[in-house]
Amino acid sequence: MNGHIASVGEVTTREQYGHGIQVIDEDQNFNGHLAKYLALEDVAPAGFNYHLISVFGSQSTGKSTLLNQLFGTHFGVMSEQERRQTTKGIWLSKNKSQNAGQKIMADNILVMDVEGTDGRERGEDQDFERKSALFALATSEVLIVNIWEHQVGLYQGANMGLLKVVFEVNLELFLKDQKSSPRSLLFFVIRDHLGATPLSNLKNTLIADLTKIWSGLNKPSGLENSKIGDYFDFAFAALPHKILQPERFVEEVAKLGTRFREPVGDSDGSVFLPKYHRRIPADGFSVYAEGVWEQIVNNKDLDLPTQQELLAQFRCDEITREVMVGFDEAITPFENKQADGIRLGAPEILGGLGAAMRTTRMRTLKNFEGDASRYHKGVYTRKRAELESKMDVRLKALFTGQLSAAHKLGINAFSESVSAAVKAGQKKGANYDFGEIVAEVKKAQLSKFEKEAKSILLEGASWSVFNQELKLFRKELDEVTGRLRRDEMRRLATRSERWVQSRLGESVGLEFNALGSGRGGSGAPAEGDQPAEKEIWDRIWKTFLKTVAEAENRFTIRAKSFDASANEVEVGLWRLRRKSWVVLKAKIEEEMMEGNLLLKLRENFEDKFRYDEAGVPRIWRPTDDIEGLYTKARESTLTLIPLLSRFQLHDTSSPPALDEWIGHMPSGATPADEEDLIPIGGVDEEEGKSLEEETTMISDSKRQDLTGRFKKTADGVYVEAKRSAIGGVTQ
Ligand code: GDP
Ligand code: MG
């Protein structure tokens, strides 16, 4: 039967491979569709669970017929009439026998039908014989040698030439790969066995011939003393004449078929002993075969270990690409989302990232291992590590991206939460504990960060530690805390200033009001030379010091409660003192406003003039020394003007040591701490204003003006008193 024969480049479906696949065509081209064929036949995923058999022998000795009978294949056979070569190159087919898959035969047997090359059709093509022998030895566990019974013992025959070639190329291969070169089984199938000569005799003859060939070989140095049994095992079978004894032929072939089963022991007659297996994983077979064939065709030294390494590299890369598809599917969405977050400046914590990273990494590695671990150990180990680092580069980026998002969000949440809590505290009253708020919020954010980080840890990944990141997060929390604390210090300072302001407003106001009573605010009866009035500045200064000291004390306690540093406290107190002085001065200035002061002076004068020592209002009589009392009261009140003009202590007749009290600017103060400060004369020397000037409350010109106006007012009061005295007489 010479039906359609599938060949290079034109096949896609299983049906089209009815005759198997022509792995090597007559022009010695390798068929790139082999991988597809193995996939269609379901052999590719079999790992090592497949077998390869090649058949050798002279042309037209019934090889293809035998294979078809044994394995249910449809290799082309010569028709009885034509006697013309049919098998060209090398064909391969999967076992199609009914017995396949029923334990009678092993799984996934691949059979290679090799073009016979005794030269009848191809002339002196010894070249292909050598190449196909090399190819078969590099791939096959079993080499079936098909031989007519009548050829046995014909030492010079074509078969013996072929075997010589097989032995030679085997030695060649062995030289390159002394360690792992597996043994091969030479399975002699003697055809047209008449039965006259028992198989055992035929076997002995063959072994004798083989040994003879072997000893006649030109062995490479080092292998001179090697024996044929060092490399080959032998098996023998005989089959009856197919045409003369067709039924017996079928029977015997069926029996022979049972030897192609999975071995149970070492010598149960099965031909598939593990030691023959080439250990090329099925999914790499086509690549391996192609590489081998390429070396052979180009007459390069065929070095199987190198081929296996190349295969391993190729396949491991291929498998890496395959498993990375699944990795990408799972990981790319996270990467995109993270990139979006960064691009939009809104970093996001990606939910489920940790689980996805862990399972994807594990699954990807497992998928890789499943297929790749069958290949060359060294290459596999290296490629596995490469795959790991390939994944880890991306996982690490996700890891750090996630941590950086957690970091940014954590910092924001921290300052927001603290601010919110402070605001809530302020609403409830000033008595919130800033230090406690910070500690609580910080703790919550730290544990959130840690939890987030731990959820994306990958066991065994060298980069997968977050101590460094945690440290950075903690550090920035501290920095933000510092900033928030400075804000809080400002708030505290403002509160303290206000408190000082309201306290001073009251006490200084009282002092000035007291002036109006003419008793100097002491409650003592007014007298010409009132010590109480003279010490008004002493009292104000004392009250001021006391008030500020109290404020300082409160400030210090509060500031320390939220861990303000000694330095920060020092700066805060310095600022508080300066601001308090400014507050005091403003209050005094308010009291000293012209109208206010004139009123006070008039009240003071009237108090002294119109009331007697007991505080009883005077009813003027013409006999009264109105003028004397007037002069006395006026002079007494007039002394207030110079007194009030300068903030001076009574004892020293000089201003209080404001500069000493405020103190030098603390070394820890920043420009920002000075920004809103009003210069104080005698304290800030560079301002060019002296302490005298700072403490001058009424300027000389104003003093004169005030004196003049007061005198006029006093005169008016005097005139009025005079009039009332006269009026009293006429009454
Ligand atoms: P191949 O070239 O070795 O593959 O041989 P084929 O299988 O194509 O068969 C060549 C010829 O031998 C065909 O005409 C077959 O019918 C014939 N043939 C096949 N098997 C046997 C056999 O067992 N005995 C004999 N005598 N002829 C056979
Ligand atoms: Mg054939």
Side-chain angles (χ1 to χ4, degrees), residues 131-151:
K131 284 175 177 167
S132 54
L134 257 173
F135 186 68
L137 273 171
T139 54
S140 313
E141 295 154 66
V142 180
L143 269 63
I144 293 178
V145 180
N146 192 55
I147 185 169
W148 298 122
E149 183 187 4
H150 62 76
Q151 287 179 316

Side-chain angles (χ1 to χ4, degrees), residues 419-432 437 491 495:
S419 299
V422 165
K423 231 171 237 163
Q426 280 172 332
K427 241 183 193 171
K428 272 194 263 164
N431 271 335
Y432 59 90
I437 290 172
R491 281 192 290 271
R495 282 202 304 273

Side-chain angles (χ1 to χ4, degrees), residues 649-669:
L649 300 181
H650 182 64
D651 290 349
T652 57
S653 295
S654 50
L658 194 55
D659 48 350
E660 251 169 57
W661 176 74
I662 287 174
H664 285 296
M665 183 176 81
S667 52

